[in-house]
Amino acid sequence: MNHSTRVFPALPTQLTSQALVSHAGLSVLSNFLNALDFQRVCEDRFSQFAPATAAHRPGRILGALALSLAAGGEQATDIDQLRAAPDLFGPVASDATVSRFMHRIKEQPEAFSYGFATMTRTLRSKAWTAAGPRNPARQATANNPLIIDIDASLVHVHSDKEHSAGTYKGGYGFSPMIAMADYGKPNGTGEVLAVHLRPGNRGANSAASHIEVLTQALAQLPDDFYDEHGNLIGEKILVRTDSAGSSREFLHHLDSLRIQFSTSYSLPVIKERFIRWIDEKKFWEPALDADGVQRDNAWVIDASKVIELKDYPPGTRIYLRAEPLHPGAKANLFDTDGNRVTAFLTNSPRFNVAFLDARHRARGRCENRIKTLKNAGLGKLPYWSFAANQAWADLAMLALNLVSWLQLAALPGGHEAGCWDMKRWRYRLFSMAGKVVTGGRQRRLLIHESAPEAQLLFLLQQSIGLLFHRWRHGELAA
């Protein structure tokens, strides 16, 4: 008789009424929301979106939706995962209650947008203040400004929704414009400041859209970026974009606010002698990688005296970068010596060519942030109403930012989890299993001591408890 060898143990499955929790690690975010006084802030901004006698207040509804998205949910009905663990997450609103809440948002979109913007600014100010020496606002200077990345993306939908339209890639859906804060890899993965939902046929190079999302993003910055008269201190901010943001209208708008910029630039067709000058690499200097180490076969140069820029803001300079063509890439007019030549514009007060190039190329970090934002809910807009989908995009932004603020405020500097993206947080911590027990008139959450990230969960819970105490006693005034 042959006996097959199993790859894994095959245990019989039984149902139980024990208080088991499948998303026990998500308690760090629920406790963090409590420490931020999320319920009170939401009640102040959104009380008109729930009846006065309603048991489920706005903070409880919005908090449950944000936690669900952070854990990997894709629909509002996915909060049933939280509803299954009332000992850990408390009473969670029913699907019908959430539906009625979203319907009220659809009827008052401006009121919700304003309330949500002021709420997130309050939460961000508290989280950044708690970061201490890593506070992005206090670190920002004219030489090392806070970087705001602006980029457009595509969200495809498979059914007709309000204001959805065909995209330039042949799809159908929306083209949101997103503004993100990048405060450096040592301090975490960065966060999202604003999501401006647009129809899918809106161009990525729209100056009006860039100005709109920038205005929303600047309104999110804490008081450290404003003087005593409420005027923006633009020198402490740098806006970084791809070539879609290089329009003269947008750059002049930035210049009027005294904001620095670093934007990719499409080289115009120019004279043949300039192409020959590009081939002379003796005039160039080596480029640097993201860690400041000199790169082989990559060069940069300040070409401001060779390429004339007309009608751009005063002080705008153009820099070129040359590096070997990637395998399979087709050469264009400027790639005469086997190198791809790209350009970017900046008005930065720094003139170190290699540093400016490395800083601009770090814009690729925003692509990861957009991917994470889509995984946090933006990738699947569930409603027909455009206003409801904009609110859903805002909730996706809140879910992503909660993790970013947790990394910034609750983790010690240099901790390996400080640069984890959302997917890793879900797999390593949020999905951790636990058991709720009662003893001594207290409920406790038990986590197996051999769980790989048990110590990280314990560290975060201690840090959050300390933050709660300091915020409650006014030791950390935002």
Side-chain angles (χ1 to χ4, degrees):
M1 182 176 180
N2 294 325
H3 296 278
S4 61
T5 302
R6 296 187 176 95
V7 178
F8 299 105
L11 302 178
T13 302
Q14 295 180 341
L15 299 180
T16 180
S17 59
Q18 295 187 47
L20 305 178
V21 184
S22 61
H23 287 86
L26 201 61
S27 61
V28 296
L29 284 187
S30 61
N31 289 343
F32 190 52
L33 282 173
N34 289 336
L36 287 168
D37 203 8
F38 186 74
Q39 173 73 7
R40 183 191 61 81
V41 177
C42 284
E43 191 65 27
D44 182 57
R45 268 69 170 186
F46 306 113
S47 58
Q48 71 272 33
F49 291 92
T53 58
H56 295 284
R57 305 307 303 166
R60 194 172 281 179
I61 296 174
L62 294 175
L65 289 171
L67 290 181
S68 175
L69 291 175
E74 296 181 342
Q75 303 288 338
T77 55
D78 288 336
I79 63 172
D80 61 351
Q81 293 289 333
L82 307 182
R83 196 180 298 124
D87 289 334
L88 187 61
F89 300 110
V92 177
S94 67
D95 295 344
T97 299
V98 174
S99 179
R100 288 192 296 268
F101 186 81
M102 297 303 294
H103 181 75
R104 296 185 188 102
I105 291 176
K106 182 176 64 175
E107 293 178 335
Q108 306 177 67
E110 294 83 5
F112 179 82
S113 296
Y114 177 78
F116 197 90
T118 56
M119 177 196 71
T120 51
R121 185 180 189 270
T122 299
L123 300 180
R124 177 174 291 105
S125 297
K126 294 185 69 172
W128 284 21
T129 300
R134 294 190 295 151
N135 183 342
R138 295 177 183 173
Q139 287 187 337
T141 63
N143 283 333
N144 293 288
L146 175 73
I147 297 176
I148 297 179
D149 289 305
I150 298 179
D151 202 1
S153 186
L154 295 177
V155 175
H156 298 289
V157 298
H158 302 285
S159 61
D160 190 30
K161 298 179 185 293
E162 187 178 17
H163 298 328
S164 56
T167 69
Y168 72 95
K169 286 190 175 181
Y172 188 77
F174 300 93
S175 177
M177 187 75 74
I178 307 165
M180 299 149 281
D182 185 349
Y183 33 74
K185 186 176 180 180
N187 294 324
T189 55
E191 61 190 73
V192 179
L193 297 174
V195 180
H196 177 43
L197 199 61
R198 308 180 303 160
N201 57 2
R202 293 289 298 275
N205 58 351
S206 168
S209 294
H210 278 81
I211 293 173
E212 172 64 25
V213 76
L214 175 65
T215 301
Q216 295 178 17
L218 295 179
Q220 288 293 307
L221 297 180
D223 292 337
D224 299 78
F225 289 94
Y226 295 86
D227 60 22
E228 63 274 13
H229 303 295
N231 299 316
L232 180 71
I233 307 176
E235 298 87 347
K236 297 171 62 175
I237 302 169
L238 180 140
V239 171
R240 188 169 59 187
T241 74
D242 57 10
S243 58
S246 63
S247 65
R248 292 174 176 83
E249 180 183 352
F250 181 57
L251 296 186
H252 276 288
H253 177 73
L254 295 176
D255 183 65
S256 68
L257 298 175
R258 302 175 67 182
I259 292 176
Q260 301 179 47
F261 58 80
S262 179
T263 175
S264 299
Y265 179 70
S266 299
L267 285 169
V269 177
I270 47 182
K271 298 180 180 179
E272 182 181 354
R273 63 180 180 83
F274 176 68
I275 300 175
R276 289 198 298 267
W277 174 79
I278 287 179
D279 294 342
E280 294 291 333
K281 294 300 181 293
K282 64 182 180 181
F283 300 113
W284 299 54
E285 63 179 89
L288 302 177
D289 62 16
D291 298 319
V293 180
Q294 182 174 310
R295 283 195 55 181
D296 295 329
N297 298 324
W299 306 269
V300 290
I301 193 171
D302 184 348
S304 303
K305 295 182 179 179
V306 179
I307 302 178
E308 184 180 4
L309 296 174
K310 295 182 179 180
D311 301 326
Y312 281 92
T316 302
R317 307 185 303 279
I318 181 170
Y319 293 88
L320 303 183
R321 176 189 178 89
E323 58 185 337
L325 286 166
H326 297 296
K330 294 182 180 180
N332 60 29
L333 178 65
F334 302 103
D335 304 331
T336 56
D337 61 347
N339 290 307
R340 169 60 46 85
V341 177
T342 56
F344 69 95
L345 306 176
T346 185
N347 63 347
S348 174
R350 301 184 66 163
F351 290 84
N352 185 320
V353 181
F355 167 82
L356 294 173
D357 172 73
R359 183 172 70 179
H360 181 72
R361 287 177 60 83
R363 199 192 71 82
R365 283 164 53 87
C366 81
E367 300 293 342
N368 291 331
R369 234 168 276 125
I370 292 175
K371 180 181 69 175
T372 301
L373 183 63
K374 288 184 175 181
N375 288 331
L378 181 64
K380 291 188 177 181
L381 300 173
Y383 299 100
W384 178 86
S385 165
F386 184 80
N389 283 328
Q390 175 65 68
W392 186 261
D394 291 336
L395 285 169
M397 174 178 64
L398 176 61
L400 183 152
N401 288 344
L402 281 175
V403 177
S404 298
W405 296 336
L406 188 73
Q407 291 171 308
L408 190 65
L411 280 177
H415 195 283
E416 63 174 355
C419 60
W420 286 1
D421 64 7
M422 183 79 82
K423 282 188 174 181
R424 189 160 181 81
W425 278 98
R426 289 170 179 168
Y427 184 74
R428 301 293 298 181
L429 189 73
F430 296 163
S431 62
M432 187 181 295
K435 183 176 182 180
V436 178
V437 298
T438 303
R441 298 182 180 180
Q442 265 191 336
R443 280 181 300 184
R444 294 184 300 276
L445 175 64
L446 301 183
I447 300 294
H448 200 285
E449 60 183 7
S450 65
E453 302 303 338
Q455 294 303 316
L456 173 60
L457 186 145
F458 189 69
L459 169 65
L460 287 171
Q461 297 288 29
Q462 283 188 315
S463 298
I464 292 169
L466 180 60
L467 288 175
F468 178 81
H469 176 81
R470 299 180 68 186
W471 276 323
R472 186 175 182 180
H473 292 84
E475 298 176 16
L476 285 174

